[in-house]
Amino acid sequence: MAEPAQDLPPTPITTGKLMATAELVSLAEFAARRAEKLGQTIATLTAGIESRATEVAKSLANAGFDPKAQADAAEKARTNARAEIVANSSEARWTEIKQLVTAAEGLALTEALFASPQAVLSRAGLGTPERTNLMAQLAGAAPAEVRQLAMLAIATKNTVLGAAIQSVNDRLPRRDRPISSAELATALVGEETRAVQSAIAAIKTAAQRAIVANREFEAGKVRPIDRVKLALNSKKEA
């Protein structure tokens, strides 16, 4: 006998701070600067490590040691210098990284609410008398009238009218919908949605870029998989 199906718990509601577009753009610029600053810091620290290794190799060369001995000594000096510099710079590097990670982690609510143009348009004029009246007028509208009003909403950039149309349209069975809600929403708020999504992606990429750079610095070697992931994320952002 089959066991009765268990009800799945509802998906948790995403909470947090809803950020304005201008605030997001500003945060994206801040994140890019922070990631660049960390990259420059790591480059300077790496140069210091290599400088110590070069000095040791040069010293042994002047003393007449063979090339293998020079290379071995340089590698040992490089390893010791890296361990020392990594430890001494840890707090400063992680302070920068934590700021970027905190910025990226604070985007959950904004990202959810700007998941698509339709999600954005659905909030236009929510709770206002204008939208309430438009919903009442559209309740009995014929398909041809809905299409005409959709064109009017796009032409006049009337997002409240567009939101009312989308709401009425989405209540109908898919095969009976006179317009594409996705097309309507993209025409009305697509640009705003893309701007927010782009800023969110830029902030996340900046944080990931900093994390990858730091991992490579601490390990003293390139991490190909991390770089591929970062490149793919950067491509999506573009």
Side-chain angles (χ1 to χ4, degrees), residues 150-165:
M151 288 187 283
L152 177 63
I154 294 171
T156 59
K157 301 296 182 184
N158 191 331
T159 56
V160 179
L161 175 57
I165 293 170

Side-chain angles (χ1 to χ4, degrees), residues 135-178:
M135 291 285 294
Q137 293 176 47
L138 286 164
E145 186 178 1
V146 172
R147 285 192 292 270
Q148 288 291 321
L149 289 171
M151 288 187 283
L152 177 63
I154 294 171
T156 59
K157 301 296 182 184
N158 191 331
T159 56
V160 179
L161 175 57
I165 293 170
Q166 176 178 267
S167 180
V168 170
N169 189 63
D170 287 349
R171 292 177 184 177
L172 298 172
R174 187 174 297 275
R175 65 179 180 277
D176 295 335
R177 295 174 186 175

Side-chain angles (χ1 to χ4, degrees), residues 154-229:
I154 294 171
T156 59
K157 301 296 182 184
N158 191 331
T159 56
V160 179
L161 175 57
I165 293 170
Q166 176 178 267
S167 180
V168 170
N169 189 63
D170 287 349
R171 292 177 184 177
L172 298 172
R174 187 174 297 275
R175 65 179 180 277
D176 295 335
R177 295 174 186 175
I179 64 164
S180 164
S181 291
E183 183 180 350
L184 174 65
T186 298
L188 285 171
V189 295
E191 185 175 345
E192 177 189 1
T193 306
R194 285 189 296 272
V196 170
Q197 291 175 341
S198 178
I200 289 173
I203 295 164
K204 288 185 169 183
T205 298
Q208 189 60 34
R209 187 165 67 247
I211 291 171
V212 170
N214 189 62
R215 284 175 179 169
E216 292 186 344
F217 172 67
E218 292 186 341
K221 61 182 179 181
V222 171
R223 300 172 67 96
I225 294 178
D226 285 345
R227 290 203 173 192
V228 169
K229 291 179 180 177

Side-chain angles (χ1 to χ4, degrees), residues 9-84:
T11 302
I13 296 176
T14 303
T15 59
K17 178 183 178 182
L18 175 59
M19 303 181 71
T21 303
E23 187 180 5
L24 271 172
V25 171
S26 177
L27 184 58
E29 293 172 350
F30 164 82
R33 289 194 300 269
R34 283 293 181 183
E36 183 178 0
K37 179 184 176 183
L38 179 63
Q40 292 171 348
T41 298
I42 288 176
T44 300
L45 295 173
T46 300
I49 293 170
E50 291 304 317
S51 177
R52 291 195 195 181
T54 300
E55 287 175 4
V56 169
K58 185 177 180 180
S59 177
L60 264 65
N62 292 337
F65 285 83
D66 62 76
K68 184 178 184 307
Q70 296 172 37
D72 289 345
E75 183 57 33
K76 184 176 180 180
R78 182 179 292 108
T79 300
N80 291 338
R82 182 174 299 280
E84 178 186 337

